[in-house]
Amino acid sequence: MKYIEVVANTGSSATVLAIAEKVKAQDFRLGIVGEDGMQQMRLIVADDKLQITLDALQNVLGAQPTARILILPIETSLPKLAEEERSQEDSATAAREALYEEIAKSARFDFNFVVLIILSTIVATIGLIENNIAVVIGAMVIAPLLGPNLALSLGIALADISLAWKSARTLFAGILLVIALSAGFGIIWPSNITNYLLMSQTEAGFESIALALASGAAAALSLTTGLSSVLVGVMVAVALLPPAATLGFMLGHNNPDLFISAGLLLIINVVCINLATIIVFFIKKIRPRTWLEKKKARYVMLIYILGWLVTLTILIFIIYTRHSLVT
């Protein structure tokens, strides 16, 4: 459940009450009217009705510049919900605005992002060189490159081209920074490049596609259902940092064959994560609020999905060709 507090002109109370009745709010209260003519109104709604409620409130209160809508989570409600209501709550989708606030921060190419990239690249590269899987997993959990991928798909789902471009730039810049740093390690750190962990990041197969698709879908599902703790497992399951670090390391070692193989795995992960997340956002009905924006989002999303599908088809053909040549 969510606690929604509305502060709006007192003349809007009847309209807000109608919205509360339409979404079957579990409680609706009117507060006192202030000297400025503004009135506090309180609703308690189920999670699966939250987005509908917010869209309706924004539509009717959009012309009031001083109106405010506040949303607070309700940790406990007594008496307890019936089992049927609880299962409905658990399956609800996170509100679009809350999802945007959480994911959009990952699209920023700022000081914190750069520091995380540098630290995680150092950790990942040393772990790969030393064949230490625990160290590599530590770098995976930091996962600074997963956020821009999720933000990119969300930007497309909401037809927010500004967010999509910002996310794409952050992702591209982050990958370039990882490659540059790890290439430096490859130049100055003489090492045996045939250990298990390094070689595992140069093996791109059909199973890599399946893993990346499943993990990308899990990441989007964990965010839309409010189960962000699941993301830790996703970060480990489909990590972008190790193949990017391996790509740079092989570049520094001047090994073009392994450089291409690591690059192929990195591209597979990026493509599959974005394809899976946009499909999950579509299924979970993450849409813009207005009809015009929804129409634009459908068009942009169609082009986006088709582009990733074509890219994935090309990658599958490349993998098949490489395997055929080996066998």
Side-chain angles (χ1 to χ4, degrees):
M1 291 186 297
K2 292 294 185 294
Y3 176 102
I4 302 177
E5 184 174 300
V6 178
V7 179
N9 189 289
T10 185
S12 304
S13 59
T15 305
V16 176
L17 173 60
I19 293 173
E21 293 174 345
K22 181 180 179 181
V23 300
K24 298 179 180 178
Q26 298 182 18
D27 192 50
F28 176 77
R29 305 281 174 173
L30 290 175
I32 62 174
V33 180
E35 295 180 357
D36 57 356
M38 304 295 283
Q39 185 174 23
Q40 180 190 51
M41 310 166 202
R42 188 200 70 188
L43 301 84
I44 296 179
V45 301
D47 284 345
D48 60 319
K49 300 292 185 182
L50 177 60
Q51 193 62 70
I52 299 173
T53 307
L54 293 179
D55 287 346
L57 289 172
Q58 289 179 85
N59 286 334
V60 299
L61 301 178
Q64 297 185 36
T66 57
R68 291 291 180 269
I69 302 173
L70 307 176
I71 304 100
L72 298 173
I74 297 177
E75 295 184 3
T76 305
S77 174
L78 298 175
K80 295 290 186 181
L81 289 173
E83 193 63 35
E84 183 179 345
E85 292 176 313
R86 187 179 295 111
S87 63
Q88 189 178 43
E89 290 275 309
D90 293 341
S91 63
T93 300
R96 178 182 57 243
E97 287 81 4
L99 197 62
Y100 189 95
E101 285 292 325
E102 182 175 358
I103 297 180
K105 293 182 290 186
S106 305
R108 302 171 186 164
F109 189 80
D110 54 16
F111 176 77
N112 291 331
F113 180 80
V114 172
V115 171
L116 284 176
I117 285 286
I118 294 173
L119 294 177
S120 57
T121 301
I122 293 173
V123 172
T125 307
I126 293 176
L128 289 167
I129 293 172
E130 297 297 325
N131 200 34
N132 190 325
I133 191 168
V135 174
V136 175
I137 289 175
M140 291 177 176
V141 173
I142 300 174
L145 294 176
L146 181 60
N149 279 279
L150 296 173
L152 174 58
S153 291
L154 182 65
I156 296 298
L158 298 179
D160 189 335
I161 305 303
S162 174
L163 175 62
W165 276 115
K166 186 189 298 183
S167 306
R169 289 195 299 268
T170 299
L171 176 62
F172 184 69
I175 291 175
L176 285 182
L177 184 55
V178 172
I179 293 173
L181 289 170
S182 54
F185 273 96
I187 293 171
I188 66 175
W189 196 316
S191 172
N192 177 15
I193 63 171
T194 58
N195 70 59
Y196 169 76
L197 278 182
L198 274 171
M199 290 301 98
S200 68
Q201 299 303 317
T202 62
E203 298 173 359
F206 297 114
E207 67 282 356
S208 304
I209 294 175
L211 173 62
L213 285 171
S215 300
L221 193 61
S222 67
L223 287 169
T224 56
T225 54
L227 299 175
S228 299
S229 59
V230 178
L231 274 177
V232 176
V234 173
M235 293 169 183
V236 175
V238 57
L240 297 172
L241 201 64
T246 302
L247 186 156
F249 188 78
M250 295 306 173
L251 177 64
H253 258 273
N254 194 26
N255 190 316
D257 290 337
L258 295 180
F259 166 82
I260 293 173
S261 297
L264 180 60
L265 180 59
L266 176 62
I267 294 172
I268 286 172
N269 284 351
V270 171
V271 170
C272 291
I273 288 174
N274 281 276
L275 179 59
T277 52
I278 194 64
I279 291 174
V280 170
F281 287 150
F282 177 78
I283 293 173
K284 298 295 287 184
K285 298 180 180 179
I286 305 299
R287 307 276 198 280
R289 180 165 59 90
T290 66
W291 177 86
L292 185 61
E293 289 174 330
K294 288 179 180 178
K295 185 178 180 180
K296 179 182 177 182
R298 281 196 295 270
Y299 175 76
V300 174
M301 190 181 296
L302 178 61
I303 299 299
Y304 186 78
I305 291 176
L306 286 176
W308 286 129
L309 284 174
V310 170
T311 307
L312 183 58
T313 302
I314 295 172
L315 291 172
I316 291 173
F317 176 76
I318 293 173
I319 292 172
Y320 177 80
T321 303
R322 285 165 63 91
H323 285 187
S324 299
L325 292 175
V326 171
T327 56

